[in-house]
Amino acid sequence: MKQNVSMDKIQAHCKTVGFVFPGSEIYGGFANTWDFGPIGVELKNNIKRAWWKKFVQERTDTFGVDCAILMNPRVWDASGHVASFGDPKMDCKNCKQRFRADTLIEEHSKGAVSAEAMTNEQMEAYIEEHNIHCPHCGAKDWTPIRKFNPMFITSRGTLEADADKVYLRPETCQGEYVNFLNVQRTTRAKIPFAIAQIGKSFRNEITPGNFLFRTIEFEQMELQKFCHDKDSMDIYNDYKQQAWNFVTSLGLQADHLRFHDHDKLAHYAKAACDIQYLFPMGWQELNGVHHRGTWDLSRHQEYSGKSMAYLDPFTNEKYIPTVIEYSIGADRLTLALICEAYDEETLENGETRVVMHFHPAIAPYKVAVLPLQKNLSEKAKEVFSKLSTFFMCDYDEAGSIGKRYRRQDQIGTPMCVTIDFDTLEDNTVTLRDRDTMEQIRLPIEELVPYITNKIAF
Ligand code: GAP
């Protein structure tokens, strides 16, 4: 990551090259919504695939689901979201903008102070003492903190008057809890086992920007491990480590990451820990690992009337499993990986090269096929169609070869294949490496195994 890169710069780059555009832009935008563009969707899909590979595909004890976003509203009574899900909000009396008090404190202190264990009174006192002004208008005229439930409400039925209240899910994990019995029965899994899901969640977040970091609609990659309580702390510690290994293996530098054990725990929880990443605005949560005790399944048993007990086939012990949850936002991780990959290099000729050093496994395009001149396009298209059955490839014949290399550097394409006149003679191509800019010559038939090896994750 380039030192001291600002979020504005990251956001501008994302828009310029097609990673992410402001949501509904031609209508003036829509706060805290973003649309992934042609290369952004590839990047995010690759990140989701990498997570699924590590946490589902390569595990014998983890099973995937894809659950409905709209759930029976009783689910949200059981989970506690209707009664007590809420963020501490303050309004600026001058410009009428609303903010989360904890976010104001954490952003003001650049992540050095955690507000999670503070009471509302302590947060108000901190904001007063540290003279925290409205990030929007600069005034310092705050309302007292009030609780605000960020669940989006919609209605079911054709006549609104008769309609039942329905919520857009604010987290994906409830789908995993309510399918505990179904998954256990159909997979014949023995405890400990996990259920994983990737999907959209919705929260009516009111925040001062920060691009993809906190949005009203976002994707979560969550898994719940169901276990016996006696094994739960080992499993909890193991997921903390796996979560760390996952993000470092994708390219986040260890010195940009830290564990943050929660000071304040929910009454049912035994432990909770985030991994924080050093975003341009400071240290902020990237993911969470939570020891949730038997709270989730007990509550669903109580509210649904269905027994959530597990009968151990070896010991005959019947018990409600303990849950260890691992949760990470796909958009938030995408943002962290974009910040980490962004670099500006000064070349020998004095020019600046913007380059995204993505791990090849998540790069939007694995390879770009570039004919040196337009009259080589027939051969180049032949190579493109050969490679594109295996990998996401770009094809570009517009502009000088130097400019085309720069364009690929800006979107993080790890390899460029250049077709020249020798290619017509001997079926070899030039392969240029994004990071070192070194070039080698390879026979066309060796490209697929070579690239496959480079992008392995
Ligand atoms: N089921 C547990 C749960 O939802 P959370 O800490 O509220 O826990 C988990 O969310 C992860 O989801 C966060 O660590 C973050 O990566 C992501 N996330 C949460 N709210 C988000 C938002 N408004 N925008 C983007 N990502 C968000």
Side-chain angles (χ1 to χ4, degrees), residues 379-420:
K379 186 69 181 172
K381 281 186 179 156
E382 211 181 275
V383 174
F384 175 85
S385 65
K386 196 179 171 76
L387 297 181
S388 61
T389 62
F390 295 92
F391 321 107
M392 199 70 203
C393 304
D394 196 9
Y395 179 84
D396 187 4
E397 54 181 32
S400 73
I401 193 71
K403 283 215 173 96
R404 282 182 274 163
Y405 283 151
R406 291 289 165 276
R407 278 203 288 269
Q408 297 304 327
D409 291 342
Q410 288 183 353
I411 61 174
T413 309
M415 287 159 276
C416 289
V417 164
T418 309
I419 314 297
D420 55 25

Short mmCIF file of all heavy atoms in Angstrom, two decimals, residues 379-420:
data_model
loop_
_atom_site.label_atom_id
_atom_site.label_comp_id
_atom_site.label_asym_id
_atom_site.label_seq_id
_atom_site.Cartn_x
_atom_site.Cartn_y
_atom_site.Cartn_z
N LYS A 379 -4.34 -13.42 -34.84
CA LYS A 379 -3.58 -14.37 -34.01
C LYS A 379 -3.86 -14.11 -32.51
O LYS A 379 -4.01 -15.03 -31.71
CB LYS A 379 -2.07 -14.21 -34.29
CG LYS A 379 -1.19 -15.22 -33.61
CD LYS A 379 -1.38 -16.61 -34.18
CE LYS A 379 -0.53 -17.65 -33.50
NZ LYS A 379 -0.85 -19.01 -33.94
N ALA A 380 -3.94 -12.81 -32.16
CA ALA A 380 -4.17 -12.45 -30.75
C ALA A 380 -5.54 -12.95 -30.29
O ALA A 380 -5.69 -13.45 -29.17
CB ALA A 380 -4.06 -10.94 -30.58
N LYS A 381 -6.53 -12.85 -31.17
CA LYS A 381 -7.88 -13.30 -30.78
C LYS A 381 -7.91 -14.83 -30.63
O LYS A 381 -8.65 -15.37 -29.80
CB LYS A 381 -8.91 -12.83 -31.80
CG LYS A 381 -9.24 -11.36 -31.54
CD LYS A 381 -10.35 -10.83 -32.40
CE LYS A 381 -10.60 -9.37 -32.01
NZ LYS A 381 -11.21 -8.60 -33.07
N GLU A 382 -7.09 -15.49 -31.43
CA GLU A 382 -6.96 -16.95 -31.28
C GLU A 382 -6.41 -17.29 -29.88
O GLU A 382 -6.93 -18.17 -29.19
CB GLU A 382 -5.93 -17.40 -32.33
CG GLU A 382 -6.11 -18.77 -32.89
CD GLU A 382 -4.96 -18.99 -33.88
OE1 GLU A 382 -5.06 -18.59 -35.06
OE2 GLU A 382 -3.94 -19.56 -33.45
N VAL A 383 -5.39 -16.53 -29.47
CA VAL A 383 -4.81 -16.77 -28.13
C VAL A 383 -5.84 -16.41 -27.05
O VAL A 383 -6.01 -17.14 -26.07
CB VAL A 383 -3.50 -15.95 -27.94
CG1 VAL A 383 -2.98 -16.07 -26.51
CG2 VAL A 383 -2.45 -16.39 -28.94
N PHE A 384 -6.55 -15.29 -27.26
CA PHE A 384 -7.58 -14.90 -26.29
C PHE A 384 -8.63 -16.01 -26.13
O PHE A 384 -8.99 -16.38 -25.02
CB PHE A 384 -8.27 -13.59 -26.74
CG PHE A 384 -9.42 -13.19 -25.86
CD1 PHE A 384 -9.20 -12.45 -24.70
CD2 PHE A 384 -10.73 -13.57 -26.17
CE1 PHE A 384 -10.27 -12.10 -23.86
CE2 PHE A 384 -11.79 -13.22 -25.34
CZ PHE A 384 -11.56 -12.49 -24.19
N SER A 385 -9.09 -16.56 -27.25
CA SER A 385 -10.17 -17.55 -27.10
C SER A 385 -9.64 -18.84 -26.45
O SER A 385 -10.35 -19.51 -25.71
CB SER A 385 -10.92 -17.81 -28.41
OG SER A 385 -10.07 -18.39 -29.32
N LYS A 386 -8.37 -19.13 -26.64
CA LYS A 386 -7.77 -20.30 -25.98
C LYS A 386 -7.70 -20.07 -24.45
O LYS A 386 -8.11 -20.92 -23.66
CB LYS A 386 -6.35 -20.47 -26.54
CG LYS A 386 -5.69 -21.80 -26.30
CD LYS A 386 -4.30 -21.73 -26.97
CE LYS A 386 -3.44 -22.90 -26.62
NZ LYS A 386 -3.76 -24.12 -27.30
N LEU A 387 -7.22 -18.88 -24.08
CA LEU A 387 -7.02 -18.61 -22.64
C LEU A 387 -8.33 -18.34 -21.91
O LEU A 387 -8.49 -18.69 -20.74
CB LEU A 387 -6.08 -17.41 -22.45
CG LEU A 387 -4.65 -17.57 -22.98
CD1 LEU A 387 -3.83 -16.32 -22.70
CD2 LEU A 387 -3.97 -18.79 -22.37
N SER A 388 -9.28 -17.71 -22.62
CA SER A 388 -10.50 -17.28 -21.92
C SER A 388 -11.42 -18.45 -21.58
O SER A 388 -12.36 -18.27 -20.82
CB SER A 388 -11.24 -16.21 -22.72
OG SER A 388 -11.62 -16.74 -23.96
N THR A 389 -11.15 -19.64 -22.09
CA THR A 389 -11.94 -20.79 -21.61
C THR A 389 -11.47 -21.20 -20.21
O THR A 389 -12.17 -21.90 -19.50
CB THR A 389 -11.85 -22.02 -22.56
OG1 THR A 389 -10.50 -22.45 -22.59
CG2 THR A 389 -12.33 -21.72 -23.95
N PHE A 390 -10.27 -20.76 -19.83
CA PHE A 390 -9.74 -21.11 -18.50
C PHE A 390 -9.78 -19.95 -17.52
O PHE A 390 -9.98 -20.17 -16.33
CB PHE A 390 -8.27 -21.57 -18.62
CG PHE A 390 -8.11 -22.84 -19.40
CD1 PHE A 390 -7.88 -22.81 -20.77
CD2 PHE A 390 -8.22 -24.07 -18.77
CE1 PHE A 390 -7.74 -23.98 -21.49
CE2 PHE A 390 -8.09 -25.24 -19.49
CZ PHE A 390 -7.85 -25.20 -20.86
N PHE A 391 -9.53 -18.74 -18.02
CA PHE A 391 -9.36 -17.60 -17.11
C PHE A 391 -10.15 -16.40 -17.62
O PHE A 391 -10.43 -16.30 -18.80
CB PHE A 391 -7.89 -17.14 -17.05
CG PHE A 391 -6.89 -18.25 -17.05
CD1 PHE A 391 -6.11 -18.51 -18.17
CD2 PHE A 391 -6.72 -19.04 -15.92
CE1 PHE A 391 -5.19 -19.53 -18.18
CE2 PHE A 391 -5.78 -20.05 -15.91
CZ PHE A 391 -5.02 -20.31 -17.05
N MET A 392 -10.40 -15.46 -16.70
CA MET A 392 -10.97 -14.17 -17.08
C MET A 392 -9.83 -13.38 -17.73
O MET A 392 -8.80 -13.12 -17.10
CB MET A 392 -11.46 -13.49 -15.81
CG MET A 392 -12.43 -12.40 -16.06
SD MET A 392 -14.02 -13.02 -16.65
CE MET A 392 -14.56 -11.53 -17.44
N CYS A 393 -10.00 -13.03 -19.02
CA CYS A 393 -8.93 -12.35 -19.76
C CYS A 393 -9.44 -11.03 -20.32
O CYS A 393 -10.61 -10.91 -20.65
CB CYS A 393 -8.49 -13.18 -20.96
SG CYS A 393 -7.97 -14.84 -20.57
N ASP A 394 -8.56 -10.09 -20.47
CA ASP A 394 -8.90 -8.85 -21.16
C ASP A 394 -8.25 -8.91 -22.54
O ASP A 394 -7.24 -9.61 -22.74
CB ASP A 394 -8.38 -7.66 -20.35
CG ASP A 394 -9.03 -6.35 -20.78
OD1 ASP A 394 -10.00 -6.38 -21.57
OD2 ASP A 394 -8.58 -5.28 -20.31
N TYR A 395 -8.83 -8.16 -23.46
CA TYR A 395 -8.24 -8.04 -24.79
C TYR A 395 -8.17 -6.58 -25.12
O TYR A 395 -9.16 -5.86 -24.97
CB TYR A 395 -9.13 -8.78 -25.82
CG TYR A 395 -8.59 -8.68 -27.21
CD1 TYR A 395 -7.62 -9.58 -27.65
CD2 TYR A 395 -9.02 -7.68 -28.08
CE1 TYR A 395 -7.10 -9.48 -28.93
CE2 TYR A 395 -8.51 -7.58 -29.36
CZ TYR A 395 -7.54 -8.47 -29.78
OH TYR A 395 -7.01 -8.37 -31.04
N ASP A 396 -7.00 -6.09 -25.54
CA ASP A 396 -6.86 -4.65 -25.80
C ASP A 396 -5.90 -4.44 -26.95
O ASP A 396 -4.76 -4.89 -26.91
CB ASP A 396 -6.33 -3.97 -24.51
CG ASP A 396 -6.33 -2.45 -24.62
OD1 ASP A 396 -6.81 -1.92 -25.65
OD2 ASP A 396 -5.85 -1.80 -23.67
N GLU A 397 -6.41 -3.72 -27.98
CA GLU A 397 -5.50 -3.43 -29.10
C GLU A 397 -5.41 -1.92 -29.34
O GLU A 397 -4.90 -1.48 -30.35
CB GLU A 397 -5.92 -4.19 -30.35
CG GLU A 397 -7.36 -4.00 -30.76
CD GLU A 397 -7.76 -4.80 -32.00
OE1 GLU A 397 -7.22 -5.90 -32.22
OE2 GLU A 397 -8.61 -4.29 -32.75
N ALA A 398 -5.93 -1.12 -28.39
CA ALA A 398 -5.98 0.33 -28.61
C ALA A 398 -4.83 1.06 -27.91
O ALA A 398 -4.65 0.93 -26.71
CB ALA A 398 -7.31 0.87 -28.08
N GLY A 399 -4.06 1.83 -28.69
CA GLY A 399 -2.99 2.66 -28.11
C GLY A 399 -1.64 1.97 -28.12
O GLY A 399 -1.52 0.79 -28.50
N SER A 400 -0.63 2.69 -27.66
CA SER A 400 0.73 2.13 -27.67
C SER A 400 0.80 0.99 -26.65
O SER A 400 0.01 0.95 -25.70
CB SER A 400 1.74 3.21 -27.30
OG SER A 400 1.64 3.47 -25.92
N ILE A 401 1.79 0.11 -26.84
CA ILE A 401 1.90 -1.04 -25.93
C ILE A 401 2.20 -0.55 -24.50
O ILE A 401 1.68 -1.11 -23.52
CB ILE A 401 2.95 -2.06 -26.44
CG1 ILE A 401 2.85 -3.39 -25.68
CG2 ILE A 401 4.37 -1.51 -26.42
CD1 ILE A 401 1.64 -4.19 -25.99
N GLY A 402 2.97 0.54 -24.38
CA GLY A 402 3.30 1.09 -23.05
C GLY A 402 2.02 1.52 -22.34
O GLY A 402 1.82 1.23 -21.16
N LYS A 403 1.15 2.21 -23.07
CA LYS A 403 -0.12 2.69 -22.46
C LYS A 403 -0.99 1.50 -22.06
O LYS A 403 -1.67 1.52 -21.04
CB LYS A 403 -0.88 3.56 -23.46
CG LYS A 403 -0.31 4.95 -23.60
CD LYS A 403 -1.43 5.97 -23.83
CE LYS A 403 -0.89 7.38 -23.80
NZ LYS A 403 -0.58 7.92 -25.13
N ARG A 404 -0.97 0.48 -22.90
CA ARG A 404 -1.81 -0.70 -22.59
C ARG A 404 -1.29 -1.43 -21.36
O ARG A 404 -2.07 -1.91 -20.55
CB ARG A 404 -1.88 -1.63 -23.81
CG ARG A 404 -2.86 -1.10 -24.85
CD ARG A 404 -2.97 -2.04 -26.01
NE ARG A 404 -1.96 -1.81 -27.03
CZ ARG A 404 -1.62 -2.67 -27.98
NH1 ARG A 404 -2.21 -3.85 -28.04
NH2 ARG A 404 -0.70 -2.38 -28.88
N TYR A 405 0.03 -1.50 -21.20
CA TYR A 405 0.59 -2.10 -19.98
C TYR A 405 0.14 -1.30 -18.76
O TYR A 405 -0.25 -1.84 -17.73
CB TYR A 405 2.12 -2.13 -20.03
CG TYR A 405 2.72 -3.22 -20.90
CD1 TYR A 405 3.96 -3.04 -21.52
CD2 TYR A 405 2.07 -4.44 -21.10
CE1 TYR A 405 4.54 -4.03 -22.30
CE2 TYR A 405 2.64 -5.43 -21.90
CZ TYR A 405 3.86 -5.22 -22.50
OH TYR A 405 4.42 -6.21 -23.27
N ARG A 406 0.18 0.06 -18.88
CA ARG A 406 -0.22 0.91 -17.75
C ARG A 406 -1.68 0.67 -17.36
O ARG A 406 -2.02 0.65 -16.19
CB ARG A 406 -0.07 2.40 -18.10
CG ARG A 406 1.34 2.90 -18.25
CD ARG A 406 2.09 2.97 -16.93
NE ARG A 406 3.50 3.10 -17.21
CZ ARG A 406 4.32 2.07 -17.47
NH1 ARG A 406 3.88 0.83 -17.43
NH2 ARG A 406 5.59 2.28 -17.75
N ARG A 407 -2.53 0.53 -18.40
CA ARG A 407 -3.95 0.31 -18.11
C ARG A 407 -4.15 -0.99 -17.32
O ARG A 407 -4.93 -1.06 -16.39
CB ARG A 407 -4.77 0.23 -19.41
CG ARG A 407 -5.14 1.59 -19.98
CD ARG A 407 -6.37 1.48 -20.88
NE ARG A 407 -6.10 0.82 -22.14
CZ ARG A 407 -5.73 1.45 -23.27
NH1 ARG A 407 -5.59 2.75 -23.29
NH2 ARG A 407 -5.51 0.77 -24.38
N GLN A 408 -3.39 -2.01 -17.71
CA GLN A 408 -3.51 -3.30 -17.00
C GLN A 408 -2.94 -3.19 -15.58
O GLN A 408 -3.47 -3.78 -14.65
CB GLN A 408 -2.83 -4.43 -17.78
CG GLN A 408 -3.45 -4.71 -19.15
CD GLN A 408 -4.94 -5.04 -19.08
OE1 GLN A 408 -5.42 -5.64 -18.12
NE2 GLN A 408 -5.69 -4.63 -20.10
N ASP A 409 -1.85 -2.41 -15.44
CA ASP A 409 -1.28 -2.22 -14.09
C ASP A 409 -2.31 -1.57 -13.17
O ASP A 409 -2.45 -1.93 -12.00
CB ASP A 409 -0.04 -1.30 -14.15
CG ASP A 409 1.13 -1.96 -14.86
OD1 ASP A 409 1.12 -3.20 -14.99
OD2 ASP A 409 2.05 -1.22 -15.29
N GLN A 410 -3.04 -0.59 -13.71
CA GLN A 410 -4.01 0.15 -12.89
C GLN A 410 -5.16 -0.70 -12.39
O GLN A 410 -5.83 -0.34 -11.43
CB GLN A 410 -4.61 1.29 -13.72
CG GLN A 410 -3.67 2.41 -13.98
CD GLN A 410 -4.34 3.53 -14.74
OE1 GLN A 410 -5.47 3.40 -15.18
NE2 GLN A 410 -3.64 4.63 -14.88
N ILE A 411 -5.44 -1.80 -13.09
CA ILE A 411 -6.53 -2.66 -12.62
C ILE A 411 -5.98 -3.96 -12.03
O ILE A 411 -6.74 -4.82 -11.59
CB ILE A 411 -7.57 -2.94 -13.75
CG1 ILE A 411 -6.95 -3.66 -14.94
CG2 ILE A 411 -8.23 -1.64 -14.18
CD1 ILE A 411 -7.98 -4.08 -15.99
N GLY A 412 -4.66 -4.10 -12.03
CA GLY A 412 -4.04 -5.21 -11.30
C GLY A 412 -3.90 -6.51 -12.06
O GLY A 412 -3.76 -7.57 -11.44
N THR A 413 -3.90 -6.46 -13.39
CA THR A 413 -3.76 -7.69 -14.18
C THR A 413 -2.34 -8.24 -14.00
O THR A 413 -1.37 -7.54 -14.34
CB THR A 413 -4.03 -7.41 -15.67
OG1 THR A 413 -5.28 -6.73 -15.76
CG2 THR A 413 -4.06 -8.70 -16.48
N PRO A 414 -2.19 -9.45 -13.45
CA PRO A 414 -0.83 -9.89 -13.09
C PRO A 414 0.06 -10.21 -14.29
O PRO A 414 1.28 -10.16 -14.18
CB PRO A 414 -1.06 -11.14 -12.24
CG PRO A 414 -2.47 -11.53 -12.45
CD PRO A 414 -3.23 -10.36 -12.97
N MET A 415 -0.56 -10.56 -15.43
CA MET A 415 0.27 -10.94 -16.59
C MET A 415 -0.30 -10.37 -17.88
O MET A 415 -1.52 -10.34 -18.05
CB MET A 415 0.32 -12.47 -16.72
CG MET A 415 1.18 -13.14 -15.66
SD MET A 415 0.76 -14.88 -15.43
CE MET A 415 -0.61 -14.80 -14.30
N CYS A 416 0.58 -9.93 -18.75
CA CYS A 416 0.16 -9.50 -20.09
C CYS A 416 0.86 -10.38 -21.12
O CYS A 416 2.06 -10.65 -20.99
CB CYS A 416 0.56 -8.05 -20.36
SG CYS A 416 -0.40 -6.87 -19.42
N VAL A 417 0.11 -10.82 -22.12
CA VAL A 417 0.67 -11.63 -23.19
C VAL A 417 0.68 -10.77 -24.44
O VAL A 417 -0.37 -10.27 -24.86
CB VAL A 417 -0.21 -12.89 -23.41
CG1 VAL A 417 0.10 -13.53 -24.75
CG2 VAL A 417 -0.01 -13.87 -22.28
N THR A 418 1.85 -10.55 -24.99
CA THR A 418 1.96 -9.72 -26.19
C THR A 418 2.25 -10.59 -27.42
O THR A 418 3.13 -11.45 -27.39
CB THR A 418 3.08 -8.67 -26.00
OG1 THR A 418 2.85 -8.02 -24.77
CG2 THR A 418 3.08 -7.64 -27.11
N ILE A 419 1.46 -10.33 -28.45
CA ILE A 419 1.60 -11.08 -29.70
C ILE A 419 2.38 -10.18 -30.67
O ILE A 419 1.97 -9.03 -30.90
CB ILE A 419 0.19 -11.36 -30.32
CG1 ILE A 419 -0.81 -11.86 -29.27
CG2 ILE A 419 0.28 -12.27 -31.55
CD1 ILE A 419 -0.48 -13.16 -28.61
N ASP A 420 3.47 -10.70 -31.22
CA ASP A 420 4.25 -9.88 -32.17
C ASP A 420 4.48 -10.70 -33.44
O ASP A 420 3.91 -11.78 -33.62
CB ASP A 420 5.56 -9.40 -31.53
CG ASP A 420 6.37 -10.57 -30.99
OD1 ASP A 420 6.20 -11.70 -31.51
OD2 ASP A 420 7.15 -10.37 -30.02
#
